[in-house]
Amino acid sequence: RKSTILDDLAVMPWWCSPLAAAAAYFVIALVVPALLPTDRPTFSGIADALSTLAPIAAAVLLLPMPFALVRSFKIGRRVATTTKVADMQALSWKEFEELVAEVYRRWGYHVRENSRGGPDGGGDVVCVKDGRLHLVQCKHWRAQKVGVNVVRELFGVMTAERATSATVLTSGIFTQEAKNFAHGKPIDLIEGAQLQCMLEIAQKKEAVRSPAGTRSEKTDGDLC
């Protein structure tokens, strides 16, 4: 299922809904009618219809706001209470993605999450910082190792999207073949222990170096 604007607003910060509603009202009620000719009855009727439509469109765009507020509260609590790798492995795939997205927000990124209704439905988390695009793929595999195919596919997407860098995160571990492929490329492979360290730093809200600046050959100690 393709995401709609309401889906996107539901996973954005709560204040995006009132901003979108205000912008929609301004454009529909004021900007578009001002561009229509006033000397024809047909266009006059369209302007009247737009004046009626504007508050309805604004009200619809406000609908995701309470859901975004509740979601933000839940994610904040999840970040505060997730302290071990075992806690991450107990999360659902969607909760895991939300956790990762919030970590990147606290690292200073502008984040867009996957709002579609299924795991691995494309770029899970898209991050932008200082004009640079960074792609994040979440692999919530509890018992398996993440293999080289996942890393190879993300590298292809990164190239196609012209992203500066990319990261694959898992609560488990990566195969040696995956690590060998990522070596020397702008791809981070972050395993459970490293992700736990990132989470601890995010919880403290410390000003730290971007995780995208840590290459895949770094160790846990280098990352933290």
Side-chain angles (χ1 to χ4, degrees), residues 5-222:
I5 187 172
L6 297 182
D7 294 324
D8 293 334
L9 287 173
V11 299
M12 291 180 180
W14 67 269
W15 44 264
C16 291
S17 285
L19 282 181
Y25 184 90
F26 178 77
V27 171
I28 296 173
L30 301 175
V31 176
V32 176
L35 299 176
L36 296 175
T38 58
D39 57 347
R40 297 183 184 180
T42 300
F43 290 110
S44 178
I46 293 175
D48 292 339
L50 289 174
S51 297
T52 303
L53 176 63
I56 297 175
V60 170
L61 291 175
L62 286 174
L63 292 176
M65 185 172 68
F67 297 98
L69 278 169
V70 172
R71 180 177 179 272
S72 178
F73 175 76
K74 288 182 177 179
I75 293 174
R77 290 203 54 175
R78 189 175 302 134
V79 171
T81 57
T82 302
T83 58
K84 306 185 295 293
V85 173
D87 296 334
M88 300 178 201
Q89 294 173 336
L91 300 174
S92 68
W93 68 266
K94 187 59 178 176
E95 291 171 339
F96 184 68
E97 285 184 10
E98 292 171 346
L99 179 76
V100 169
E102 182 62 20
V103 167
Y104 274 85
R105 282 193 189 94
R106 297 191 183 191
W107 283 67
Y109 282 86
H110 173 73
V111 175
R112 186 178 78 244
E113 298 176 50
N114 172 23
S115 59
R116 285 172 285 190
D120 300 327
D124 296 325
V125 181
V126 179
C127 305
V128 178
K129 188 175 184 181
D130 299 328
R132 298 180 178 182
L133 181 64
H134 180 71
L135 304 180
V136 179
Q137 182 74 24
C138 302
K139 286 299 177 183
H140 189 228
W141 292 354
R142 303 178 184 180
Q144 293 178 277
K145 294 181 178 180
V146 179
V148 67
N149 288 341
V150 172
V151 184
R152 186 180 289 117
E153 289 171 5
L154 182 61
F155 183 66
V157 174
M158 186 190 77
T159 303
E161 297 291 335
R162 297 182 180 180
T164 303
S165 54
T167 297
V168 185
L169 299 104
T170 179
S171 55
I173 59 175
F174 293 93
T175 64
Q176 187 58 49
E177 188 179 7
K179 294 178 180 179
N180 292 341
F181 180 84
H183 184 79
K185 297 180 177 66
I187 301 177
D188 298 325
L189 302 184
I190 298 181
E191 299 179 339
Q194 291 174 300
L195 182 55
Q196 181 179 348
C197 181
M198 289 175 60
L199 181 59
E200 290 172 353
I201 296 173
Q203 289 168 339
K204 297 175 182 177
K205 298 183 180 180
E206 294 178 357
V208 293
R209 183 164 57 93
S210 160
T214 305
R215 297 277 66 84
S216 57
E217 66 266 20
K218 299 294 184 180
T219 65
D220 293 1
D222 291 323

